[in-house]
Amino acid sequence: MDVVEVVPTFEQYAFTFGGVAPLRRVTPGTALRLWSDDAFGGALRAATDLSSEKVDLRYVNPQTGPFYVEGAEPGDTLALHFVAMEPARDWGASAAIPFFGGLTSTDRVATLQDPLPDTTWIYELDRSRNTVTFAAQHSDLRIDLPVEPMLGTVGVAPSGGEVRSSLVPERFGGNMDSPQMRAGTTCFLGVNVEGALFSIGDGHYRQGEGEACGTAVEGAMTTTLIVELIKGGAPAWPRLEDDTHWMTVGSSRPLEDAWRIGQTELVHWFRALYGLHAMDAYQLLSQIVEVPIANVVDANYSAVVKARKSLLPPATAFGGLHDDLRSRAASLL
């Protein structure tokens, strides 16, 4: 399988979902190898670099794309299978940004507290050991952590002509910040506009569930993926499938509504997968789901609702496309 490589310039990045002309047109079945910059655009390179001084908030979460998928029409389903994610730099950065994060005053959770200190941590990458190193700012503690690459942003253009910031997760995908968006996962997104206009970015070398301080180990990433298109069948919210789980993602505020969206969407998916009555699907999923919080810091919060395949009879979604894409991906590894 041929692989199309794209390394955008800064001028070619998108900073919204919707409202941007396509960077390139691709046909279904295309394999892409895409370079994306980190959420800060490479501005934080040392622990002395502070976000308030170095980061322009108009240009965060740069997106590689959008890509126009030939034949994609509203109501179709875009499938993106992630083959590989490889750190593209030898360091990643994380930061406590003033008035941003899960445990500080924010513009939406307003209090009379002063902001937490503007602080940057640099994580050095050891490729031979596949680790990044946490180095404490206020002591000598250092801990090597496994690299677990993921993408914070995967999305398509929204419906209704909307233009949404690359900081926002919603039904079009976007800044979901889920560690489930990793190599081996297939992401299914409903197409809202002609060509789908999908983009990716916001590489994380690792991230805890919830992304509590608001930033992961943010790093430039080289992502290999396969693009496919299913005519019709558009899911209302993002669906994910890997070899072990069925997953849905809900994004909203408050967090309970994100949880409800994900739960409801998995009930709907199980009705199709197993021919279940909604009440039976509701009961079954109440006993088996896991619900990792993806993020509690973005403009909307995101929750992933997942059901383990090993607990269930065999089933296939979208004609078994995930398994087919896994087979095709093997030729690229």
Side-chain angles (χ1 to χ4, degrees):
M1 186 186 302
D2 292 334
V3 179
V4 176
E5 299 205 21
V6 178
V7 179
T9 64
F10 179 83
E11 292 73 22
Q12 291 176 315
Y13 280 123
F15 294 92
T16 62
F17 293 96
V20 182
L23 177 64
R24 190 179 186 120
R25 298 172 80 101
V26 299
T27 58
T30 298
L32 298 172
R33 184 170 289 120
L34 308 178
W35 195 93
S36 58
D37 209 341
D38 67 51
F40 308 116
L44 301 182
R45 295 172 176 263
T48 53
D49 291 335
L50 301 181
S51 60
S52 58
E53 299 172 356
K54 297 284 187 175
V55 177
D56 187 335
L57 294 178
R58 296 173 301 170
Y59 303 113
V60 292
N61 274 8
Q63 299 298 293
T64 298
F67 294 90
Y68 183 106
V69 181
E70 300 285 0
E73 301 173 305
D76 291 343
T77 303
L78 179 71
L80 301 175
H81 179 74
F82 298 105
V83 179
M85 297 178 189
E86 304 161 28
R89 288 196 184 111
D90 288 334
W91 50 267
S94 191
I97 300 171
F99 295 117
F100 180 70
L103 299 178
T104 186
S105 301
T106 72
D107 62 339
R108 298 191 184 200
V109 183
T111 74
L112 294 177
Q113 292 175 319
D114 289 334
L116 293 177
D118 191 351
T119 311
T120 299
W121 292 262
I122 299 299
Y123 288 74
E124 298 297 337
L125 174 69
D126 186 326
R127 292 186 184 274
S128 64
R129 300 173 60 209
N130 200 36
T131 60
V132 286
T133 301
F134 165 77
Q137 287 279 30
H138 303 286
S139 72
D140 294 329
L141 181 66
R142 296 174 65 89
I143 302 173
D144 293 335
L145 301 170
V147 175
E148 296 179 354
M150 53 162 283
L151 292 178
T153 52
V154 177
V156 295
S159 61
E162 285 192 344
V163 177
R164 303 298 296 275
S165 164
S166 56
L167 293 173
V168 175
E170 238 273 7
R171 61 176 66 235
F172 57 86
N175 192 31
M176 296 175 282
D177 282 318
S178 170
Q180 309 297 325
M181 203 71 73
R182 57 197 175 196
T185 295
T186 304
C187 177
F188 300 100
L189 297 166
V191 174
N192 302 305
V193 302
E194 184 178 307
L197 297 180
F198 80 87
S199 61
I200 68 164
D202 190 23
H204 297 172
Y205 294 172
R206 64 171 297 113
Q207 179 208 300
E209 292 174 358
E211 199 183 20
C213 79
T215 59
V217 180
E218 310 284 344
M221 194 78 76
T222 300
T223 301
T224 304
L225 60 91
I226 303 173
V227 181
E228 265 301 353
L229 180 68
I230 303 149
K231 297 303 291 181
W237 289 82
R239 294 179 178 181
L240 308 177
E241 182 183 356
D242 63 17
D243 292 348
T244 60
H245 288 83
W246 306 106
M247 295 171 271
T248 51
V249 186
S251 298
S252 188
R253 282 202 187 198
L255 181 60
E256 304 96 282
D257 283 347
W259 175 88
R260 290 186 182 102
I261 291 166
Q263 294 278 357
T264 299
E265 288 302 306
L266 198 56
V267 166
H268 292 327
W269 203 4
F270 265 46
R271 292 181 68 185
L273 287 171
Y274 295 104
L276 288 172
H277 187 280
M279 290 302 295
D280 286 328
Y282 182 25
Q283 171 57 213
L284 173 62
L285 290 169
S286 294
Q287 312 312 327
I288 67 172
V289 294
E290 307 157 52
V291 190
I293 298 170
N295 91 81
V296 288
V297 293
D298 292 337
N300 288 323
Y301 300 156
S302 298
V304 179
V305 181
K306 51 192 290 190
R308 190 177 299 274
K309 289 179 176 179
S310 63
L311 299 175
L312 300 159
T316 58
F318 300 107
L321 182 58
H322 170 73
D323 290 339
D324 176 55
L325 288 168
R326 285 285 275 163
S327 296
R328 283 190 250 171
S331 68
L332 302 176
L333 295 173

